[in-house]
Amino acid sequence: MMQSGIPVCNTCGDQVGLDANGEVFVACHECNFPICKDCLSYEIKEGRKVCQRCGTPYGEDSPTDDGETNVSETTSTMASHLNNEPKDVGLHARHISSVSTVDSEMNDESGNPIWKNRVESWKDKKNKKKKAPSKTEKEEIQVPPEQQMEEQQSPEGAGAQPLSTLIPLSKSKLTPYRIVIVMRLIILVLFFQYRVTHPVDSAYGVWMTSVICEIWFAVSWVLDQFPKWSPVSRETYIDRLSARYEREGEPSELAAVDFFVSTVDPMKEPPLITANTVLSILAVDYPVDKVSCYVSDDGAAMLTFESLVETADFARKWVPFCNKFTIEPRAPEFYFSQKIDYLKDKIQPSFVKERRAMKRDYEEFKVRINALVAKAQKTPEDGWTMQDGTSWPGNNTRDHPGMIQVFLGNTGAQDIEGNELPRLVYVSREKRPGYPHHKKAGAENALVRVSAILTNAPFILNLDCDHYVNNSKAIREAMCFLMDPQLGPGLCYVQFPQRFDGIDRSDRYANRNTVFFDVNMRGLDGIQGPVYVGTGTVFNRQALYGYSPASLPTLTKPSSSCSWCGCCSCCCPQKKPTKDLSELYKDTKREELDAAIFNLREIDNYDEHERSMLISQMSFEKTFGLSSVFIESTLMENGGVPDSVNPSTLIMEAIHVISCGYEEKTEWGKEIGWIYGSVTEDILTGFKMHCRGWRSVYCMPLRPAFKGSAPINLSDRLHQVLRWALGSVEIFFSRHCPLWYGFAGGRLKWLQRLAYINTIVYPFTSFPLVSYCSLPAICLLTGKFIIPTLSNLASLLFLCLFISIITTSILELRWSGVTIEEFWRNEQFWVIGGVSAHLFAVFQGFLKMLAGLDTNFTVTAKAADDSEFGDLYIIKWTTLLIPPTTLLIVNLVGVVAGFSDALNKGYEAWGPLFGKVFFAFWVIFHLYPFLKGLMGRQNRTPTIVVLWSVLLASVFSLVWVKINPFVSKVDSNTIAQSCISIDC
């Protein structure tokens, strides 16, 4: 039984326990990071002797393993160097859910170099174990003078300092925020107690509907609010990263990164935008030999291919220009369009001349790209033909072979100054009728395999084609987390916030989404990490392969405390404790965690031939597919192309791994790579990683890392929200629903689970939201209300509820930096999207589940017209516009009807009217941006819409005043009696 008041270990989920003085055990006295004694011992044993949160070294009273005495820092450091295993065998500490040694009963091909290399590495490891010095011998080893000098340096040196710092919210901001949240929760309980016990008998149906809607809103608020319980910020130190991994006169030790850029339709995703994204990647501030850019053309368009040819040629001029003058941003379209003083801080006398020449070259480049686009407007009858006269293989976009073209990165591919350029690779995976292709998720998985064959960087950054690198040092920002020896081994990805260009100042449809990126994501960073949002994410490749983090400790720990009272065993008889079901379950999970892909203790008992049988390739082929080269690349934890691979066969092997049948009977899309089953594959992919025990971090540099474009007109924005909501509904009806998935391992924190539940249930709020937005009109037309006559106590309760809602919002704005206007726009579009796109998403999700009708989403356009914000006023009539338009008209009619009724009844009716009208105006104000978008540009106002709206409102109002169908009818006898009493 858990003791109340004792924090839970952040690693294993159990209570941290008590120290020798009977007080709550604290490992780090700097930030009070909750971690139990056993997990702390595990961390120290593994060589991680600083706090996971703040980077402060643990105190001298930290527990040591098996009662060993502490030795000096120099001796401990030397011993850790001696104990370090080769990094290529670090795989044995990781786990994959779909690979089992039980499948290894068939003989492996004896000539396969992969398994020979692995067996040789195990032999070396075994020999090193035999030759490893004992503890006393380690202490007597003389440390070389150079190492002594290096270890005697100040601990503030670059090698000892953390590469990033976690900055919790100050207590002056966090404590009031939490108090108000708890108070609001208590007020909600009292509010519902009053609402349920005080029904409106004269309008029971309206009252019941309102109470049900309010209960759902309260549950939705809990799911959204409590994951923001511990918001944090992070600070990175790029200078320390360079000092540690980029020493002068030595090759750079920074990890390589593979960039993924995905595009589908060049007509909706203009090649010029994709070219700018690629150019910003090629010019990124990172070692050239560590950067590779892969462009996925899932539409197999020759236009995309030819535009990349032009882009690769222009990159030879653009990249050295960016590196020479350190310009920002490094996407030429957005650099040259900046309205700033470009001479600021540019002291080189040649800058003005070279900038003008580069701008002229870029304008010529744009002309060539636009000429290609104009040429592609009309497809020839015989299809497209390449320069050598052969037919373009992708003329049939649904039936074509796989295509790979390496534009840059080969020998001799240099810029105009003779320097090496990053690698640029065009990839279009094979498509055949009858094979599932899984849209963007399938394209990303194809890039994972291709990049593993050609470059195999340990980290992957994926970007949409319209998201360019706005901060050339963004990759270094991410490496401050991923390459940190303490934090990096447990990170699955680093998520950057999305920022956008081309949005009007008022941000009418909340395209910036700052409330989500600056409030919700920072809250999740204080738990287990932000969710994956589809772009601007740097992945650990090993996490994409389905492995669990290498630093994951066991879930069970020995405990001498009583399972009932939690104290020592003095209060209970000294007898062998019996394990309850939870302990047995934890033991089972520990055995599961301790079972690696290969169990070295068993392998060491066999000879080489029997080892090769045990290490069967079949278990890997069932997981990763039939490619020995790719399988060997997955075993290289630190990346790099295997030495045993013949370079001349790499392209053929890369073509093989993007064939349409490669993923059949494998775990691609199920347990590894981007996960299939939803059009929002990003939520599923991140959710699976967090369930395996990984964590993620949120990186918010001062200069935004990436910027993209957003659909700013009403129709495209609603279609975008529809796709997101439909993906959430698909996950809700799948086996990966957070309501029941991921409980077995116990590695997903409960606040993190609440956040994922919120991401998949929010579309269902559309039903109570539509009902609640209809209630004001019903109340105004019927003369009824959802709340009875309020007493003084009830009025005070309602007042406290409104104050708590406002205070919570103000405190969130205070610590997040979000403006009131951004917060209000977010609230408005929550209603607009809820009564339109979310509603349709739920219906489409039900149709897909019941009738198997799949919905193809529309790719939103990435470019506006020539005028600034011209796309804002485009109206494309869709069925999504019907529900909010109806709600607007009904509420306007209700307001007119309510005022006309009050005029007829006299001053006594004005008091109850104010509450109903306030309710109606709440709906109208929230739908006002929708109404404004419906009207379009002021000088292009569709008069017919205005006339019909006024006409309908007038007709309904007059009919209501004349007929008044909601008032009880009076019979003729009553009329006769009333007439008799009148003295005529």
Side-chain angles (χ1 to χ4, degrees), residues 428-446:
S428 181
R429 57 183 174 140
E430 181 186 19
K431 286 189 176 181
R432 301 296 182 190
Y435 287 91
H437 302 298
H438 304 291
K439 302 175 182 176
K440 180 182 177 181
E444 295 287 348
N445 285 338

Side-chain angles (χ1 to χ4, degrees), residues 51-316:
C51 178
Q52 300 177 16
R53 173 178 290 177
C54 65
T56 304
Y58 292 123
E60 296 180 357
D61 55 346
S62 301
T64 56
D65 188 41
D66 299 331
E68 293 181 1
T69 58
N70 291 328
V71 294
S72 65
E73 183 180 356
T74 303
T75 308
S76 299
T77 307
M78 185 61 188
S80 65
H81 284 305
L82 292 173
N83 284 330
N84 280 339
E85 305 285 348
K87 292 185 178 180
D88 59 345
V89 297
L91 172 71
H92 307 295
R94 302 191 303 275
H95 313 273
I96 187 169
S97 57
S98 58
V99 177
S100 174
T101 54
V102 179
D103 299 326
S104 55
E105 297 176 358
M106 299 181 63
N107 291 335
D108 188 22
E109 298 179 5
S110 58
N112 196 329
I114 299 174
W115 315 115
K116 288 185 177 181
N117 294 340
R118 303 307 297 172
V119 171
E120 291 298 327
S121 67
W122 291 322
K123 284 184 178 181
D124 295 340
K125 182 176 180 179
K126 187 174 181 181
N127 294 334
K128 289 182 179 180
K129 284 184 177 180
K130 292 180 179 179
K131 298 178 180 179
S134 62
K135 179 181 176 181
T136 55
E137 292 174 346
K138 292 177 186 177
E139 294 177 351
E140 296 174 356
I141 293 178
Q142 296 295 328
V143 182
E146 297 82 4
Q147 189 170 352
Q148 288 181 356
M149 294 178 62
E150 183 178 351
E151 292 175 348
Q152 289 173 359
Q153 291 179 351
S154 173
E156 282 105 35
Q161 291 179 321
L163 301 180
S164 64
T165 300
L166 186 141
I167 307 174
L169 208 63
S170 63
K171 292 184 178 180
S172 61
K173 295 180 180 179
L174 184 60
T175 302
Y177 180 62
R178 289 178 172 177
I179 291 175
V180 172
I181 291 176
V182 175
M183 289 180 61
R184 182 174 172 182
L185 189 63
I186 296 173
I187 294 172
L188 275 175
V189 174
L190 298 176
F191 171 79
F192 286 117
Q193 190 271 339
Y194 170 81
R195 293 285 281 134
V196 173
T197 56
H198 292 76
V200 182
D201 297 328
S202 60
Y204 193 82
V206 176
W207 167 81
M208 179 63 71
T209 302
S210 65
V211 171
I212 294 174
C213 294
E214 289 163 1
I215 292 175
W216 179 267
F217 294 150
V219 173
S220 178
W221 172 77
V222 170
L223 294 176
D224 180 70
Q225 187 68 60
F226 278 88
K228 297 180 284 189
W229 186 258
S230 301
V232 298
S233 299
R234 295 182 185 272
E235 184 178 356
T236 56
Y237 306 105
I238 300 179
D239 52 344
R240 298 180 186 176
L241 179 77
S242 299
R244 183 179 299 183
Y245 295 106
E246 291 183 300
R247 298 176 181 176
E248 187 176 356
E250 299 180 6
S252 174
E253 296 180 1
L254 290 174
V257 181
D258 288 337
F259 289 76
F260 292 175
V261 178
S262 56
T263 182
V264 180
D265 188 352
M267 293 293 112
K268 293 183 177 180
E269 299 168 333
L272 185 61
I273 292 182
T274 304
N276 272 271
T277 300
V278 172
L279 289 170
S280 68
I281 293 173
L282 298 178
V284 73
D285 183 8
Y286 207 70
V288 173
D289 58 325
K290 308 288 186 179
V291 175
S292 300
C293 179
Y294 294 84
V295 179
S296 170
D297 178 18
D298 220 31
M302 187 173 176
L303 173 58
T304 304
F305 180 86
E306 290 183 335
S307 65
L308 280 184
V309 175
E310 296 290 345
T311 303
D313 184 63
F314 180 71
R316 292 181 169 88

